[in-house]
Amino acid sequence: MVILQNCDNYEYSEVYRNVKEIFDACGGIETIVSPGMKVALKPNLIGRKKPEEAATTHPSIVRAVAELCKEAGGSVMICESPGGVYDKGALRSIYKATGIEEAAELSGAELNYDTSVTKVENPDGMYLKTLEILTPLAGADIVINLAKLKTHGMMVYTGAMKNLFGAIAGVGKAEYHFKMPDYDSFANTVIDIYLSVKPCFNIIDAVEGMHRDGPTAGDPYHAGILMGAADAFELDRVALDMIGAELGRVPMGRMAVARGLMAENVQDIDVRGDVSLKKAEERCRDFVVKYNDGNTRLHFSDGVLGRAMEKMMKPKPVFTKDCRSCGECMRNCPVKAITVEKGKRATADLDKCIRCYCCQELCPFKAVKIKKPLVGRIAGKL
Ligand code: SF4
Ligand code: SF4
């Protein structure tokens, strides 16, 4: 069951009322949180972004969920490993910029500064039967996932499942990109990571989502909806339907269906709340989803012809005149394909590049664009 609630803005009383409605429709927060329970909240805090940039879960939502958990008797810890450096200083500045520091103060939640990881078993994983995740997530009695509705350069869409990639500490994320450069394997890896944490409840902030060049360089999109479900796969399936994404062209959706985790047909999902699915689709009518077809290494045979086809069709990162040579992309590129010289635009060795678009995601100045070559654009329309 997925709940869709109308929430026109982030005014706190409105957000609190709607978040409570979502939990109530699923049996009430008391059925999830018991007195004394350690609750970890996992928002999307992708970087040092202000709430109005629509790249991160809005602090009003984090505060409302934290207050509800505390009212039910739980202790609450907010934790996230954003992109890039993962240390106390980076966490402090991200909590402050995203408004999460204030949300924690107002709700009485704690902010995580423990950057250690804990090894966990993952029997349901396809590739990852054991892995290391953030210690506060591993040590919590329950995890509540607070995601953001956005497009994503590599995975096309990011919502509930993808938000759990932040359970991997700092540079560990780049290692997964490096080891799983083709999109389907990477999608399965992120699904495995999701399964290793298995949040007991998931909320997506679709009040102001992000479309076009998400997850950080896109434009805010007002859908005015808060969405929630115990099952992240159902929640993401409904979100994909809302934004008009073609399931077969979204790697994590495609893989979740293939693994029997996600319903192929959205009509098989029970959608409730004060916004109908049809209404939600109408509100997202102008949401722009960008696909990356022809971008999976496995689509092409090896050899001269295969490599030539790849080159002609694959979208590539392009560094624009807004580049300020800060080096953030170079430090985080999983395959060390980027060179940055003082006073010059960054450049990438496209033969090394695995098209993960971490450079686009982490550039603080929105100076990385993903460009599709002409052949790739034509092929995408076929
Ligand atoms: S592209 Fe962005 S992240 Fe990379 S050096 Fe330029 S400004 Fe920095
Ligand atoms: S250049 Fe950008 S897209 Fe290519 S591998 Fe490095 S971070 Fe990923």
Side-chain angles (χ1 to χ4, degrees):
M1 180 172 55
V2 171
I3 313 300
L4 303 181
Q5 283 295 123
N6 182 52
C7 188
D8 200 44
N9 57 58
Y10 291 114
E11 204 263 307
Y12 184 65
S13 59
E14 184 68 359
V15 170
Y16 178 90
R17 186 181 63 74
N18 278 297
V19 169
K20 188 167 181 322
E21 292 271 341
I22 289 173
F23 282 113
D24 286 350
C26 297
I29 189 80
E30 304 76 15
T31 61
I32 298 170
V33 180
S34 311
M37 221 177 217
K38 278 161 59 182
V39 182
L41 303 186
K42 166 64 183 75
N44 181 330
L45 306 178
I46 195 167
R48 222 170 286 117
K49 305 282 176 188
K50 294 186 189 126
E52 56 273 23
E53 292 181 75
T56 52
T57 310
H58 197 277
S60 284
I61 295 169
V62 180
R63 177 184 164 195
V65 177
E67 286 197 357
L68 281 161
C69 292
K70 289 195 72 91
E71 284 164 23
S75 64
V76 180
M77 171 77 81
I78 299 168
C79 54
E80 161 74 312
S81 164
V85 178
Y86 181 55
D87 61 19
K88 285 182 188 170
L91 284 174
R92 197 168 291 117
S93 72
I94 285 173
Y95 289 147
K96 197 173 183 59
T98 54
I100 296 301
E101 185 182 78
E102 193 185 359
E105 272 167 26
L106 291 168
S107 61
E110 280 181 64
L111 292 170
N112 175 56
Y113 288 102
D114 174 0
T115 55
S116 66
V117 291
T118 298
K119 193 170 182 176
V120 293
E121 302 295 322
N122 191 28
D124 296 331
M126 179 182 260
Y127 301 142
L128 308 177
K129 294 290 184 191
T130 58
L131 68 156
E132 290 182 336
I133 63 171
L134 305 185
T135 296
L137 290 180
D141 294 314
I142 60 166
V143 175
I144 300 180
N145 181 15
L146 305 177
K148 186 85 171 174
L149 179 84
K150 295 188 289 181
T151 47
H152 192 274
M154 181 190 188
M155 289 285 103
V156 180
Y157 156 83
T158 168
M161 291 184 277
K162 175 72 173 59
N163 193 35
L164 267 298
F165 193 42
I168 303 301
V171 291
K173 294 190 200 67
E175 279 172 31
Y176 281 112
H177 278 292
F178 180 68
K179 286 182 192 152
M180 304 287 180
D182 78 84
Y183 287 9
D184 288 353
S185 304
F186 184 76
N188 273 320
T189 302
V190 180
I191 292 171
D192 280 1
I193 293 165
Y194 172 82
L195 292 172
S196 76
V197 179
K198 231 184 214 155
C200 68
F201 205 83
N202 306 273
I203 286 180
I204 297 181
D205 170 6
V207 179
E208 297 288 338
M210 179 179 279
H211 70 151
R212 298 198 178 99
D213 299 316
T216 58
D219 301 314
Y221 186 96
H222 180 78
I225 298 172
L226 268 178
M227 343 174 30
D231 185 324
F233 300 104
E234 288 198 342
L235 190 60
D236 276 341
R237 181 67 193 90
V238 168
L240 287 167
D241 176 77
M242 276 166 47
I243 62 174
E246 292 175 46
L247 189 58
R249 298 174 79 186
V250 179
M252 290 187 70
R254 185 166 69 225
M255 291 300 108
V257 170
R259 288 170 70 166
L261 296 166
M262 180 182 274
E264 190 162 9
N265 188 349
V266 75
Q267 303 305 332
D268 292 340
I269 298 170
D270 180 10
V271 180
R272 301 186 191 181
D274 65 6
V275 183
S276 68
L277 184 56
K278 190 163 181 292
K279 196 91 196 146
E281 289 165 356
E282 278 167 22
R283 287 198 197 172
C284 296
R285 206 175 26 218
D286 299 321
F287 193 102
V288 178
V289 179
K290 292 190 173 179
Y291 299 99
N292 270 326
D293 309 317
N295 205 19
T296 302
R297 283 178 176 251
L298 298 178
H299 285 175
F300 301 98
S301 58
D302 282 336
V304 179
L305 189 63
R307 281 198 294 277
M309 287 291 288
E310 263 192 86
K311 218 170 202 168
M312 277 195 293
M313 293 184 65
K314 283 168 87 170
K316 57 184 179 186
V318 171
F319 301 87
T320 72
K321 60 177 174 32
D322 294 325
C323 174
R324 300 196 201 168
S325 327
C326 71
E328 187 69 7
C329 55
M330 182 176 68
R331 284 188 288 276
N332 291 287
C333 173
V335 292
K336 304 289 168 222
I338 299 175
T339 306
V340 180
E341 285 176 42
K342 208 172 165 205
K344 291 188 182 165
R345 266 187 226 187
T347 54
D349 177 343
L350 294 175
D351 288 331
K352 273 194 195 169
C353 172
I354 56 171
R355 271 63 169 183
C356 65
Y357 307 121
C358 291
C359 46
Q360 184 209 32
E361 187 171 319
L362 296 173
C363 175
F365 305 106
K366 298 188 179 184
V368 185
K369 302 284 176 218
I370 301 172
K371 295 275 184 210
K372 271 190 188 178
L374 183 64
V375 181
R377 289 207 298 276
I378 293 167
K381 288 189 173 42
L382 295 177

